[in-house]
């Protein structure tokens, strides 16, 4: 039993994302709500989007670990980036961690006017699945 990620013929093929994921019955599904580049007190770690992005993925990793999963178990990422933030710097800092091993997960990304946390430039949520051994 495993999670199958598909890049179907007729859709763009990208090393950064897949289009479809099939999670088998019996897998545990884990939802991680939006995480920002904040420390454990809720303070934004920097005004630099790359630093915030790294901390954001670190925070997602902590949340996943609490549920018995890792970044490699992520099936789908949602990435919100404030519209004037440097997209290249943000993705450059985190892209290898989003992709994981093998066929990449699904990714939805959007530019937004602002986020709920003042000073936050990025927010990331994730859906992961863990297949029992």
């Amino acid at each position: 039993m495993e999670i199958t990620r598909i890049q179907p013929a007729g859709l763009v093929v990208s090393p950064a994302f897949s289009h479809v994921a099939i999670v088998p019955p019996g897998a545990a599904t884990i939802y991680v709500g939006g995480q920002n580049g904040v420390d454990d007190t809720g303070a934004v770690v920097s005004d630099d989007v790359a630093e915030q992005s790294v901390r954001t993925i670190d925070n997602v990793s902590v949340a996943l670990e609490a549920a018995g999963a890792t970044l490699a178990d992520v099936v789908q990422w949602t990435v919100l980036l404030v519209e004037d933030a440097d997209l290249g710097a943000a993705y450059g800092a985190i892209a290898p961690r989003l992709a994981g091993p093998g066929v990449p997960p699904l990714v939805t990304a959007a530019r937004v006017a602002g986020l709920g946390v003042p000073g936050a430039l990025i927010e990331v949520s994730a859906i992961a699945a863990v297949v029992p051994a």
Side-chain angles (χ1 to χ4, degrees):
M1 223 176 15
E2 65 181 42
I3 297 163
T4 305
R5 294 175 178 95
I6 304 171
Q7 295 176 321
L11 297 177
V12 65
V13 175
S14 172
F17 61 86
S18 294
H19 295 281
V20 179
I22 303 166
V23 177
T29 304
I30 301 155
Y31 300 88
V32 177
Q35 299 295 309
N36 303 103
V38 297
D39 63 21
D40 61 353
T41 70
V44 174
V45 296
S46 169
D47 61 359
D48 179 75
V49 71
E51 289 179 43
Q52 282 193 33
S53 298
V54 168
R55 182 58 184 252
T56 297
I57 300 306
D58 289 346
N59 291 345
V60 171
S61 182
V62 169
L64 288 168
E65 288 173 14
T70 69
L71 295 175
D73 297 313
V74 172
V75 175
Q76 180 171 342
W77 293 101
T78 300
V79 180
L80 305 176
L81 194 66
V82 171
E83 61 194 358
D84 59 348
D86 184 341
L87 178 65
Y91 269 107
I94 62 174
R97 295 177 74 192
L98 295 182
V103 180
L106 288 61
V107 177
T108 299
R111 294 277 204 171
V112 298
L115 298 167
V117 173
L121 300 172
I122 186 169
E123 185 164 322
V124 176
S125 63
I127 301 171
V130 177
V131 178

